[in-house]
Amino acid sequence: MNSLYTSLKKHFFLIAGPCVVENEEICFEVAEKIKELSDIYQLPVIFKSSYRKANRTSGTSFTGIGDANALLILSKVKELYDLPITTDIHSDEEAETVSNLADIIQIPAFLCRQTSLLMAAAKTGKIVNIKKGQFMSPESMLFSLEKVKMAGNGNVILTERGTTFGYSDLIVDMKSIPVMQKFEVPVVLDCTHSLQRPNQSKGVTGGNPQFIKLMARAGTATGANGLFIETHPKPEKALSDGANMLPLSQLSELIEEALSIRQVVSKFLP
């Protein structure tokens, strides 16, 4: 079993970072902060940022600074701050592209049923984090999980990120967490994407970031193995998903609250 995966199965953990690689300065600022918080709270932390954004609503939306530039910045984050890295892929070929860098390969929610993509990620031998599609029940995620295992990789994380509610909202059923934990893999709550308001007339996804801490508290109380938080020094100036990101200055408070709750509920967890 992958050593990082063994740690994540034992300990409450955090996946955090800016939505997409915008530049070196922002990635370094966020990485420095989450490394500091990891040391303070003795909390396993994985740095997350997309090197490319392929599933944008509008054709004019920001998709990245170029694959080579973004991957170079992620490699610097990994080396300078000694942090595990996760980034998402959208095609089979991308699995090989990121396999030398990423410790966890993320499968976007919209692509969680794509058999060849799941198997390509699995064959890298890296941990595979499958985000539950907005159109999927928690029970049906077993089949996505089994596709990765069929390819010989049992290092899988499942992430809850809300279910489509009408055309312009998402809703989180906290029962999804214990349901997916029955598959004997770590289950994460994405506290930021679960607060999106998609399909806005402007072609840019909206959100309710004022509830991010509330979502983190609820997910922790439900027994999630980890939290996923997109965070940015200045979300209002972010080039992607700014409406859903937590200001970096608030991350410490969120972690403190989550760990306090975790300490209480841990005695009731299996």
Side-chain angles (χ1 to χ4, degrees):
M1 184 181 291
N2 180 295
S3 59
L4 174 60
Y5 190 68
T6 300
S7 175
L8 299 184
K9 290 197 76 172
K10 290 181 179 179
H11 305 289
F12 187 68
F13 61 93
L14 175 70
I15 300 173
C19 175
V20 64
V21 175
E22 298 181 18
N23 56 50
E24 195 172 90
E25 180 183 2
I26 289 173
C27 284
F28 284 7
E29 182 177 352
V30 176
E32 182 176 1
K33 184 64 175 181
I34 66 172
K35 177 65 175 178
E36 174 190 334
L37 295 176
S38 175
D39 292 340
I40 290 172
Y41 296 107
Q42 294 298 291
L43 177 72
V45 172
I46 298 96
F47 181 88
K48 182 272 166 187
S49 195
S50 299
Y51 77 98
R52 180 201 301 175
K53 299 300 291 185
N55 51 342
R56 302 291 82 191
T57 301
S58 170
T60 62
S61 294
F62 178 75
T63 59
I65 60 174
D67 294 357
N69 289 334
L71 289 169
L72 177 59
I73 290 172
L74 289 177
S75 68
K76 288 181 179 179
V77 167
K78 184 171 185 174
E79 180 179 356
L80 292 173
Y81 298 97
D82 191 26
L83 287 169
I85 298 291
T86 183
T87 194
D88 41 339
I89 63 172
H90 309 85
S91 68
D92 301 4
E93 295 75 22
E94 288 183 61
E96 184 65 27
T97 299
V98 307
S99 63
N100 292 326
L101 167 68
D103 299 278
I104 302 175
I105 295 177
Q106 179 178 295
I107 306 298
F110 284 129
L111 299 175
C112 69
R113 292 177 56 178
Q114 298 296 105
T115 302
S116 64
L117 182 65
L118 290 164
M119 290 192 167
K123 289 175 182 177
T124 66
K126 299 304 176 75
I127 300 169
V128 181
N129 179 19
I130 314 172
K131 301 192 82 173
K132 182 174 78 63
Q134 299 92 319
F135 45 86
M136 298 277 281
S137 71
E139 292 85 358
S140 63
M141 288 300 293
L142 174 63
F143 303 107
S144 295
L145 166 62
E146 287 181 338
K147 290 175 183 178
V148 177
K149 289 186 173 182
M150 284 171 59
N153 188 340
N155 301 319
V156 183
I157 297 169
L158 297 178
T159 295
E160 166 62 48
R161 54 127 324 143
T163 302
T164 298
F165 185 69
Y167 286 117
S168 300
D169 206 353
L170 296 170
I171 190 166
V172 178
D173 180 358
M174 291 296 172
K175 298 193 302 295
S176 293
I177 295 171
V179 168
M180 292 192 291
Q181 284 173 330
K182 290 182 180 179
F183 307 150
E184 299 183 344
V185 298
V187 175
V188 170
L189 177 64
D190 183 339
C191 303
T192 45
H193 289 93
S194 59
L195 293 169
Q196 283 184 333
R197 292 188 59 82
N199 301 311
Q200 300 297 304
S201 59
K202 297 182 295 183
V204 177
T205 298
N208 290 301
Q210 69 272 27
F211 297 125
I212 293 173
K213 291 180 185 177
L214 174 66
M215 195 64 68
R217 293 195 295 267
T220 306
T222 307
N225 300 94
L227 301 176
F228 180 108
I229 307 285
E230 286 195 338
T231 182
H232 192 284
K234 296 179 179 178
E236 70 280 3
K237 294 185 177 180
L239 300 180
S240 177
D241 279 2
N244 305 294
M245 284 195 278
L246 181 78
L248 184 61
S249 60
Q250 297 180 22
L251 185 59
S252 177
E253 182 180 354
L254 182 149
I255 291 173
E256 282 192 19
E257 291 178 1
L259 290 177
S260 295
I261 293 169
R262 180 75 179 184
Q263 185 174 14
V264 173
V265 302
S266 60
K267 65 184 71 174
F268 306 109
L269 298 176

